[in-house]
Amino acid sequence: MRTKTLLLTAALTAAGALTSMAQVYSVNIVGYINLNVPHGFSIIANQLNNSPNNMLGTLLPTPPNATFVYKFSNASASYISDDYTDGVWEGDTAGAMTLNPGEGVFINAPSAFTATFVGEVQLVSALPIPHGFSIISSVIPQSANLDVLGYPPANGDFVYQFLNASGSYKSNDYTDGAWEGDDGGVAPTPAVGEGFFILNSSTAKSWSRTFVVGPP
């Protein structure tokens, strides 16, 4: 039986970020996110599985000219980068860079614009988090602190959220079984569509979550 699109705002408590799509039907929860990308650097995330793929050229087909996107590689501790110039993506992957739910990338926009991500919510997920640095996001498009989002903290973990306005980072760490840092002892709270740096000081682990909508 086909289920009419649900309001993601209500389902995922992401008020103002997610809205319903008229005349779209799916057996899954579908919707879209209008993400305001500011001028300059920020870390963004796509939290919906898009069709036909989650490649940069599909997700951001026409950003402002001279937009740059940088994806961090944990294995090499370096970035791959693409840029949108004269109406086409070029660079290391020429727009084939993936931005799957759970991944995050730096973007440098020459002017503010709105990125619209369309797709399905990944209700069951297991995001691998390697030892060391990586840029990640919540797989679910929900603004809540990392404890509520089910992130498995370990002593020595650091979370760095980039602040566009100041060009600096907000930092929180998990030490002796509790969060401490710039948020005053509260777990970091990423916004919908926000990616962030994580320093996993322990061995590789998985951020697993099963999101249930409605009565069991």
Side-chain angles (χ1 to χ4, degrees), residues 131-149:
H131 171 75
F133 282 102
S134 54
I135 300 180
I136 64 172
S137 72
S138 168
V139 172
I140 293 286
Q142 179 184 17
S143 182
N145 72 51
L146 292 185
D147 289 341
V148 172
L149 294 175

Side-chain angles (χ1 to χ4, degrees), residues 110-190:
S111 59
F113 72 101
T114 299
T116 300
F117 300 125
V118 180
E120 296 180 348
V121 178
Q122 190 172 323
L123 297 176
V124 179
S125 59
L127 179 67
I129 302 177
H131 171 75
F133 282 102
S134 54
I135 300 180
I136 64 172
S137 72
S138 168
V139 172
I140 293 286
Q142 179 184 17
S143 182
N145 72 51
L146 292 185
D147 289 341
V148 172
L149 294 175
Y151 173 78
N155 281 325
D157 281 4
F158 280 77
V159 173
Y160 301 93
Q161 292 172 273
F162 186 77
L163 306 176
N164 167 267
S166 62
S168 61
Y169 288 91
K170 180 171 66 171
S171 172
N172 291 277
D173 62 281
Y174 193 78
T175 302
D176 296 329
W179 288 101
E180 58 185 29
D182 292 335
D183 286 334
V186 178
T189 302

Side-chain angles (χ1 to χ4, degrees), residues 15-18 32-47 60 63-64 105 107-109 111-117 162-165 191-195:
L18 307 176
Y32 63 85
I33 299 170
N34 282 328
L35 179 64
N36 295 321
V37 180
H39 167 257
F41 281 99
S42 57
I43 303 180
I44 66 169
N46 162 44
Q47 296 169 316
L60 299 176
V105 293
I107 188 167
N108 184 13
S111 59
F113 72 101
T114 299
T116 300
F117 300 125
F162 186 77
L163 306 176
N164 167 267
V192 171
E194 180 188 357

Side-chain angles (χ1 to χ4, degrees), residues 51-72:
S51 178
N53 58 54
N54 292 316
M55 291 183 181
L56 188 60
T58 302
L59 299 173
L60 299 176
T62 55
N65 267 316
T67 295
F68 282 76
V69 175
Y70 305 87
K71 186 173 184 179
F72 183 76

